[in-house]
Amino acid sequence: MEYTLRPFRDGDAVSLASLTLAAIRAVGSARYSAEQVDAWAAHHPGPERFLERVAIGHAIFVAADSNDIAVAYSLLEPPIEQSGVSSGHLDMLYCHPDHTRRGLANLLLTKAEEQARSSGVERLFTEASELAKSAFEKAGYAATGRRDFTIEGPGGSVPIHNYAMEKSLII
């Protein structure tokens, strides 16, 4: 299957919310418990959240299938200054379970990196799930630590973890 990479369109919001939930539920269960997946899924953004994020200047890059349906995406927040360094936060990277292992994460990470560089960003950082960690490592990110925390789920507070990761864009 061929994919195209393009900017977010308002009509993508429902597809992105749906594929996020599908990824959490289907792929998340490979590395997280059912209780953790349920809590994570309870916090996934609905369609309106994508529209809100774009409205405040966040960039969403979409991988679309041959029918121009969004099947994967990344979300890059506007640059911030941290300790005198222009940093970019890659907040989301999700792929529909039917389209994993096809190089989409790498394409989306490359596009986000290009956008960040053009905005003067010197460092990208993210919080990667157990599942996304290897995709970020392949793209040159280094884990700086494991983050253990709790999120509220349907049954109460649930312990979960992810990884703080970063990549220098200085050549």
Side-chain angles (χ1 to χ4, degrees), residues 6-13 16 47 50-51 54 59-62:
R6 60 171 174 75
F8 171 84
R9 298 180 193 140
D10 289 353
D12 294 326
L16 297 190
F50 295 102
L51 299 171
V54 168
I60 301 175
F61 307 104
V62 173

Side-chain angles (χ1 to χ4, degrees), residues 39-133:
W40 184 4
H43 289 273
H44 93 282
E48 65 285 344
R49 185 69 175 130
F50 295 102
L51 299 171
E52 292 167 2
R53 298 290 292 268
V54 168
I56 61 172
H58 298 190
I60 301 175
F61 307 104
V62 173
D65 66 12
S66 56
N67 294 316
D68 201 33
I69 304 297
V71 297
Y73 71 96
S74 62
L75 187 148
L76 179 66
E77 295 177 352
I80 58 173
E81 288 294 318
Q82 288 185 322
S83 304
V85 174
S86 179
S87 297
H89 181 229
L90 190 67
D91 187 38
M92 294 188 219
L93 175 67
Y94 283 96
C95 184
H96 190 280
D98 294 341
H99 299 272
T100 60
R101 305 262 186 238
R102 298 182 187 185
L104 296 176
N106 188 54
L107 288 173
L108 290 163
L109 290 173
T110 298
K111 182 64 177 172
E113 185 176 319
E114 289 169 0
Q115 174 70 29
R117 282 182 195 278
S118 74
S119 298
V121 169
E122 300 168 271
R123 177 185 78 100
L124 281 173
F125 67 98
T126 194
E127 299 79 28
S129 70
E130 196 64 63
L131 303 143
K133 185 176 180 242

